[in-house]
Amino acid sequence: MIIKNALNRIKEIIRGLKTKKVEERLQSYTTIAVILSRLEDISKDQKLPNYVIYKQDLLYSCEVLCGLDDVDGHSEEQHIGWALSAVDKLKSFHCFNVDNHHI
């Protein structure tokens, strides 16, 4: 798996959540979770402790966007922004250290 490509796909999925219905959002969440589980194996091999923190941030916002957690008084746009920011952190030199250009 090419880490940069996987993280870019996650960003595409997150950006598309606004236009999806709940069922489609849940499918998107499942796709993100599967990709992250593969990345988790890589993060363990590379001993990347920040991976768990950034993954939790990403999944929390995705769970809110999919109706799996409380909105907590923040807008959908804020959660999309936070999810995209978490992906950028996964791409950063603090984690996988892959090119951080936006697609």
Side-chain angles (χ1 to χ4, degrees):
M1 176 182 286
I2 299 172
I3 296 166
K4 178 182 175 182
N5 291 353
L7 293 171
N8 285 339
R9 295 308 148 253
I10 290 174
K11 285 185 93 165
E12 288 174 358
I13 292 167
I14 293 166
R15 287 184 183 123
L17 287 175
K18 282 180 79 168
T19 61
K20 296 187 185 294
K21 296 179 182 180
V22 175
E23 298 82 17
E24 295 171 311
R25 287 181 181 207
L26 288 170
Q27 290 171 343
S28 295
Y29 176 81
T30 301
T31 302
I32 291 169
V34 168
I35 294 170
L36 288 175
S37 70
R38 291 286 313 276
L39 291 176
E40 187 157 353
D41 294 338
I42 296 168
S43 77
K44 288 178 183 175
D45 290 343
Q46 295 182 11
K47 295 178 175 65
L48 302 172
N50 289 331
Y51 174 79
V52 174
I53 297 164
Y54 302 151
K55 178 185 113 173
Q56 288 173 341
D57 291 346
L58 172 58
L59 287 177
Y60 171 70
S61 285
C62 288
E63 287 167 3
V64 170
L65 291 165
C66 293
L68 300 173
D69 207 331
D70 290 332
V71 176
D72 67 8
H74 297 98
S75 71
E76 190 173 88
E77 289 78 19
Q78 285 175 303
H79 280 287
I80 288 172
W82 291 332
L84 293 171
S85 176
V87 175
D88 287 340
K89 289 176 185 177
L90 287 166
K91 293 172 87 175
S92 77
F93 67 91
H94 295 293
C95 197
F96 286 112
N97 196 22
V98 296
D99 183 11
N100 209 8
H101 293 336
H102 296 285
I103 55 173

